[in-house]
Amino acid sequence: MIEETGTVVAVDGDQVWVQTIRQSTCGSCSARKGCGQKALASISDGKANQVRVRNTLNAAVGQSVVIGIEESQLLKASLRVYAIPLVGLVVFALLAAAIWPGSEPATIGGGLLGLGAGLGLLFVLSRRDRHDDRFQPVMLKAAAEAVTGSVIDTPLSG
């Protein structure tokens, strides 16, 4: 289970929005040059991310929670995101090259068409699986009390 600690920033029915801040450990990892995590961390610059999670522990705004997702499900989702468009690109490029041998523009066009088809299929699958609990993070633990003095629960003084 991959876990991340965050703070509940909003409650929306039976779901909550949890704000997390990426804690990158790229400096101590031996695979830092061959991993996409460093690139993702550099994009967000350690900024906050918000994730919607089912509120199974009745967490309140300002409460610190631990959310997690199974490694196998994260791997499946990553494989789907990378493999489907790539397979579409290669298959359509090969089909175009077989239909119009020696025509580079046809092969490039076929590859781009396949990439688009793969991205379209990915979009359809993601819309279908949007509410599939297997691909959603879950709430694992909640702190006993809400964090006091946070920006969220501090009243504005006028």
Side-chain angles (χ1 to χ4, degrees), residues 4-98:
E4 185 77 31
T5 302
T7 304
V8 175
V9 293
V11 177
D12 183 18
D14 68 337
Q15 307 222 342
V16 294
W17 285 95
V18 178
Q19 182 170 318
T20 64
I21 297 178
R22 183 178 308 276
Q23 300 294 326
S24 181
T25 58
C26 295
S28 62
C29 179
S30 62
R32 66 181 166 258
K33 292 190 187 344
C35 176
Q37 177 67 26
K38 185 175 181 182
L40 290 173
S42 67
I43 291 171
S44 70
D45 292 328
K47 294 180 183 170
N49 299 309
Q50 290 187 2
V51 180
R52 196 161 89 172
V53 181
R54 189 177 313 269
N55 192 6
T56 56
L57 301 176
N58 295 322
V61 172
Q63 196 167 7
S64 179
V65 296
V66 176
I67 59 175
I69 189 166
E70 288 291 332
E71 291 96 346
S72 62
Q73 297 307 324
L74 185 62
L75 181 62
K76 287 177 188 175
S78 299
L79 184 62
R80 180 187 280 190
V81 167
Y82 287 111
I84 290 175
L86 182 62
V87 167
L89 183 143
V90 171
V91 167
F92 277 61
L94 290 174
L95 282 173

Side-chain angles (χ1 to χ4, degrees), residues 107-144:
T107 303
I108 292 170
L112 291 175
L113 185 64
L115 178 64
L119 290 172
L121 178 60
L122 185 63
F123 178 76
V124 169
L125 290 174
S126 68
R127 301 271 301 170
R128 185 193 70 186
D129 294 339
R130 181 175 34 185
H131 300 292
D132 188 346
D133 287 339
R134 295 175 302 153
F135 296 112
Q136 300 295 324
V138 293
M139 192 177 294
L140 302 173
K141 293 184 259 185

